[in-house]
Amino acid sequence: MRIARLPLSSFLACAMLATLASCGGGGTSAAGAGNSAIVTMVTTSVPDTQTGQPYTAQFEASFPHSPGVFQVTSGALPPGLALEKATGQLTGYARQTGVFHFEIAARDGADEVPLGGNLPAGRDASFAEDRKSFALTVALGPPHILPQTIPAAQYRASYAYPIDVAGGTAPYGFAETNGPNLPKGLAISPKGVLGVFPVQARQAPYDFEVTVTDAQGLTDTASMSVLVLVLPLIFLTADPIPEAAVGFPYDIPLDLASGGAGQPYTWSQIPPVAGETSLSTIGMEVGSNGHVHDLGAGPLSVGTFKFTAGVTDEIGQLATQHFTLKVNPGPVLTSITPNRSSTPGPYTAKGLNFQPGAKLYFKPGPTQTLVSTTFVDATTLTFAGPAPKPSDGSGAVDVRVVNPDGGAHTKASAFIFPATTISFGGKGFISSALSSTGLDAADADGDGKPDLVHCGAASYQATPGGTTSSASGGGLVYMRNLGTVPPTFGAQTLSSGSFTDVKFADVNNDGRPDIVGLGQSTIQVWLNSVSGFTSSAIVSTLYTAGTSVYWPSEMAIGKLNSDGLLDIVYGAVYYNSGGYTSGRCFSMAGNGSGSFSPLDAALSSMSASSQSGYTMGIHVVGCLDLNGDGRSEVVAGTGMGYYNGTYPLLYSVTGSTGLFGSWDQKGNQIASPQYPGMQGLALGDFLGIGSTQVIVGATGATNYSNTSSLFLLSGAALTTSTSIASPGAKTKSICSADLDFDAKIDWAVTTNPSSIAVYKGGTQTNVVSLDASTGSPSIASPRTGRIVAADIDGDGRPDLIATCSYWAGEGMGAWQNGTYYALGMNGDGGQMGLVFYLNTSN
């Protein structure tokens, strides 16, 4: 049962007016008669309009407790018009003729009443509101090109934008007038599409004029503009470049993170300044093909040489990068393949200037171990293995090659040894004001240290009637790793809005991870530039297929279609229409520059239960490529499933266009916990067999069972299901990482209320339990939630980072029973922020 709380003043008013009407005044009639002693709708009619014409109408009401809210409670507004709930303003451009009947409710106290849906039957007294019915006639107007912002086109990339028109009579004809003024390669088609392939660019937008003519010969003309963007020209190759050996052939390519305007490229060494060397003096050059190479006899001199390389693109953009080249008199070790002792040999060491009898030392120093190699040639050594592990050599270790003549070279972190046990030492805490809903890690600034991004949602209510997060807990923060020991982070707030998930992903293919935030109604992308993240986000409207998604949940990023660009799939914990049998999965197609457009929606094709088909919302999703076609299949953990009927996972194979295929149930039916919802999902090779498997966790409804279940789904199409022993407490978010470097992916799951259970890959056994509420530093009432793994202290071992306030979707809470079926998480907890544990496995 859900009870709307009234403030004391409303309660007294209810008592005083009991003889006039029941408290709340929710009664309706043909005239929309509510309790006018509580709330009075003042507006009695709204003006009519025409298609394509700007429209504004203002609903006004008298509220005892301002500001109040306005809401459409029945009927439908004309397509193209929208009601602003907070102000009562109806605005837009009507797109369809007809007489539209609808009812508007004015409700007292914006924070007193949930904003979704009609009043429950027999519960009018819970609400103070007045309703009135309205009729709005939309007549046919002349054609009108609507106000619109045309997205930027990319230089030498395909482009298409349909010009938005309302009113008039189809079919329409379009033409550029008073021109041509568009850049070369772009034109307006007779059907109103601005495209196709711009081959001209400048810093200023191109202003142009377009005229539309309808079937009756009526016209409208509008001035518009489009900007043609040229990608920046950016080096990817970092300084220093690989070392060389005197007298040995040398050739390495200089790579670009962003190709600018494209080929032809012109490469050269920039004239040296003080402290730099002309490469020609040491028998080297920056070649016209973009390679640093020798001139036929290898480097001529030993030493460390600085130089600057430059490249220009087709339109003359210049990019430069400073480099350092070290030329050794002795050997150079560039790689060992494979680079893990857990992978069987033989092993191959590649480099330069090797001599017969060269030896390899693993972790040079007091505990070093030695391998004698087989000399193949001056660039190749082999050994059968296994490489002997130093006594303190867990994780990535340095390797030194030593020639018989004493020449030596050390390559950092060249080889990885497994740990005998998984363990965690230092604990840390990063304070944050966010009601945590998302967390991710990646090296965003290219300094070799993983950074974090953290998001939260203010007044987030995953399900109607469920608990609500802090009203001030929204935002999205980039946390740059400062490289200290212990780890510390510099915070940059990118947004104060609300987000339910966040990911690092290179959405524009420039070699740098961008930030993608999942909001309540938008996808927002902050591009990663040379100088950091852009201050403003690229905003794309979420795909809801004409429905109302209460809050989106988790997203996954992959390549859904065949264009090679990153796309997004996301679930919705609660979907505000469609009944219990509807699924909750949506996808958005990326355009390669940071924007996303609607791709597909699974609204009724997802079944979680053979008994009833209930799928009460999707909380967790993932993208993986099991069939090796280069496109991502989609996995989605089922929402609230029927008792003894739920399967843990739904699996869809996307087609070449990226549309969802049929959804197959994976795993065995879940008998316990009862009424489960999948709260966590992780991907990885947990068996160490060279393929991807899925770990998924189910949590039961609190009033039926306080338990959870874990499953491993494996096989070519995830056809094999293996139950995993639960840690005992209800499970939440899951992350994967090779914590002990044995090539079998390990994983960690947050549990109710404040713990983290760590499982070893291969055996899938719980080997470590961590509790954020204990140890130093102390954290008051933490509620662990989202979790990621990343080597934040730079010691070669993946560490664990988890949020300390939990606001993910909750079990069966997606039903109208609200918190009755929730995970038992109440509020944000005490200290909000991130807890981290440093990996000390050895």
Side-chain angles (χ1 to χ4, degrees):
M1 178 180 296
R2 183 175 63 197
I3 298 175
R5 295 181 175 86
L6 293 174
L8 179 59
S9 57
S10 294
F11 177 80
L12 294 175
C14 178
M16 294 171 65
L17 297 169
T19 59
L20 298 176
S22 60
C23 183
T28 64
S29 68
N35 188 343
S36 58
I38 301 291
V39 175
T40 301
M41 172 76 80
V42 176
T43 304
T44 58
S45 64
V46 292
D48 297 331
T49 189
Q50 293 181 329
T51 55
Q53 300 305 302
Y55 183 84
T56 300
Q58 180 67 54
F59 294 99
E60 295 183 350
S62 173
F63 298 100
H65 309 95
S66 294
V69 292
F70 296 85
Q71 191 166 340
V72 179
T73 48
S74 67
L77 298 173
L81 301 187
L83 176 67
E84 172 55 48
K85 293 179 180 180
T87 66
Q89 193 171 66
L90 181 65
T91 59
Y93 295 82
R95 296 176 177 270
Q96 181 179 323
T97 61
V99 180
F100 296 86
H101 298 273
F102 51 90
E103 183 182 69
I104 301 293
R107 292 185 175 178
D108 189 32
D111 295 325
E112 302 297 329
V113 182
L115 296 180
N118 294 331
L119 301 179
R123 294 298 305 282
D124 293 349
S126 297
F127 302 92
E129 73 166 20
D130 190 16
R131 299 185 183 190
K132 276 189 170 59
S133 297
F134 296 88
L136 195 163
T137 300
V138 181
L140 181 64
H144 181 59
I145 300 174
L146 300 183
Q148 55 202 285
T149 300
I150 298 179
Q154 182 179 316
Y155 181 76
R156 290 196 174 275
S158 296
Y159 180 80
Y161 174 77
I163 296 173
D164 196 9
V165 173
T169 305
Y172 305 103
F174 294 81
E176 182 184 0
T177 50
N178 196 27
N181 295 308
L182 285 167
K184 293 178 181 179
L186 284 186
I188 299 170
S189 75
K191 293 186 177 181
V193 176
L194 174 62
V196 177
F197 193 86
V199 292
Q200 183 181 3
R202 67 187 186 195
Q203 289 187 338
Y206 291 85
D207 298 321
F208 64 97
E209 186 177 274
V210 61
T211 296
V212 60
T213 304
D214 76 351
Q216 306 301 319
L218 300 175
T219 65
D220 185 39
T221 299
S223 296
M224 313 183 85
S225 64
V226 62
L227 180 65
V228 179
L229 296 176
V230 179
L231 293 178
L233 190 59
I234 303 170
F235 275 90
L236 175 63
T237 304
D239 182 39
I241 56 177
E243 297 180 12
V246 68
F248 277 78
Y250 185 86
D251 189 323
I252 65 107
L254 299 177
D255 295 322
L256 295 175
S258 176
Q263 297 179 346
Y265 295 115
T266 302
W267 298 83
S268 65
Q269 180 180 356
I270 300 298
V273 297
E276 292 188 339
T277 299
S278 174
L279 291 179
S280 62
T281 63
I282 61 169
M284 306 283 287
E285 71 170 2
V286 178
S288 60
N289 61 352
H291 287 225
V292 178
H293 64 86
D294 67 277
L295 298 178
L300 303 178
S301 302
V302 173
T304 299
F305 306 97
K306 296 183 180 295
F307 67 97
T308 300
V311 58
T312 58
D313 62 12
E314 181 202 18
I315 65 170
Q317 284 191 108
L318 171 66
T320 62
Q321 177 82 341
H322 301 293
F323 291 109
T324 303
L325 170 66
K326 183 178 181 181
V327 181
N328 294 299
V332 174
L333 177 64
T334 57
S335 67
I336 299 177
T337 306
N339 72 337
R340 288 175 176 263
S341 68
S342 57
T343 303
Y347 300 87
T348 300
K350 300 293 290 185
L352 301 171
N353 208 7
F354 296 145
Q355 297 174 349
K359 300 182 185 301
L360 296 176
Y361 292 85
F362 294 83
K363 197 175 184 182
T367 62
Q368 67 187 20
T369 58
L370 169 65
V371 166
S372 296
T373 65
T374 298
F375 178 83
V376 177
D377 56 41
T379 65
T380 307
L381 305 171
T382 62
F383 61 98
K389 179 183 175 182
S391 58
D392 57 350
S394 298
V397 301
D398 298 346
V399 179
R400 177 179 295 168
V401 58
V402 180
N403 279 340
D405 66 3
H409 175 255
T410 300
K411 181 171 178 58
S413 302
F415 201 76
I416 301 173
F417 289 100
T420 55
T421 61
I422 298 177
S423 61
F424 293 87
K427 173 189 177 186
F429 179 70
I430 309 167
S431 180
S432 171
L434 301 183
S435 288
S436 299
T437 53
L439 178 67
D440 202 10
D443 180 12
D445 59 0
D447 65 355
K449 307 175 186 67
D451 309 297
L452 304 176
V453 64
H454 180 209
C455 73
S459 301
Y460 169 38
Q461 193 178 37
T463 58
T467 52
T468 303
S469 68
S470 167
S472 60
L476 190 147
V477 179
Y478 166 58
M479 309 176 77
R480 181 174 176 270
N481 191 332
L482 301 180
T484 59
V485 180
T488 56
F489 297 84
Q492 176 189 358
T493 298
L494 297 178
S495 175
S496 58
S498 292
F499 298 86
T500 52
D501 198 8
V502 65
K503 294 285 190 292
F504 282 113
D506 181 13
V507 299
N508 60 352
N509 293 317
D510 67 354
R512 293 186 297 269
D514 309 301
I515 291 176
V516 183
L518 177 65
Q520 187 171 15
S521 60
T522 60
I523 293 281
Q524 299 190 37
V525 174
W526 287 266
L527 295 179
N528 190 349
S529 68
V530 176
S531 57
F533 288 99
T534 54
S535 58
S536 59
I538 299 172
V539 180
S540 304
T541 301
L542 284 182
Y543 186 25
T544 55
T547 64
S548 174
V549 174
Y550 198 78
W551 273 94
S553 55
E554 184 173 291
M555 67 177 163
I557 300 178
K559 296 179 179 179
L560 300 180
N561 53 29
S562 57
D563 64 5
L565 303 175
L566 290 180
D567 310 303
I568 290 175
V569 60
Y570 63 95
V573 177
Y574 178 79
Y575 164 72
N576 203 20
S577 62
Y580 300 151
T581 59
S582 295
R584 316 284 189 270
C585 213
F586 304 88
S587 60
M588 304 275 288
N591 69 355
S593 61
S595 295
F596 294 85
S597 56
L599 182 57
D600 201 4
L603 300 180
S604 58
S605 57
M606 307 177 78
S607 176
S609 166
S610 62
Q611 292 190 4
S612 66
Y614 286 6
T615 304
M616 296 301 297
I618 299 299
H619 176 50
V620 289
V621 292
C623 289
L624 70 169
D625 182 11
L626 289 177
N627 59 15
D629 64 357
R631 298 193 307 271
S632 299
E633 297 96 65
V634 177
V635 289
T638 55
M640 188 286 291
Y642 193 75
Y643 172 49
N644 286 354
T646 305
Y647 291 83
L649 202 68
L650 299 171
Y651 173 79
S652 177
V653 179
T654 58
S656 60
T657 60
L659 300 182
F660 297 131
S662 60
W663 292 86
D664 297 329
Q665 298 169 335
K666 296 299 180 181
N668 300 321
Q669 287 183 305
I670 300 173
S672 179
Q674 298 175 13
Y675 290 99
M678 308 303 132
Q679 304 300 318
L681 182 149
L683 309 175
D685 186 5
F686 305 108
L687 298 175
I689 58 176
S691 62
T692 301
Q693 302 95 48
V694 179
I695 299 285
V696 63
T699 295
T702 301
N703 69 317
Y704 281 94
S705 61
N706 251 347
T707 61
S708 59
S709 294
L710 292 165
F711 306 91
L712 170 70
L713 301 175
S714 59
L718 304 179
T719 53
T720 301
S721 177
T722 304
S723 294
I724 299 171
S726 170
K730 291 177 290 186
T731 58
K732 293 178 268 185
S733 180
I734 308 174
C735 74
S736 57
D738 189 2
L739 299 172
D740 58 358
F741 338 113
D742 65 353
K744 298 179 180 68
I745 301 301
D746 313 298
W747 48 283
V749 54
T750 53
T751 66
N752 189 24
S754 59
S755 296
I756 301 171
V758 181
Y759 282 75
K760 181 175 173 58
T763 62
Q764 321 309 328
T765 53
N766 183 190
V767 293
V768 175
S769 294
L770 306 168
D771 191 339
S773 66
T774 64
S776 180
S778 62
I779 307 172
S781 302
R783 302 192 189 283
T784 52
R786 299 281 193 174
I787 185 169
V788 296
D791 180 19
I792 58 175
D793 62 351
D795 67 352
R797 301 175 174 91
D799 310 303
L800 295 178
I801 310 100
T803 62
C804 284
S805 55
Y806 179 71
W807 285 107
E810 301 183 327
M812 195 174 171
W815 205 8
Q816 69 265 32
N817 297 285
T819 56
Y820 189 52
Y821 291 107
L823 287 176
M825 307 302 294
N826 221 352
D828 294 284
Q831 288 176 269
M832 295 159 59
L834 308 176
V835 62
F836 63 80
Y837 291 91
L838 301 180
N839 190 343
T840 56
S841 301
N842 56 47

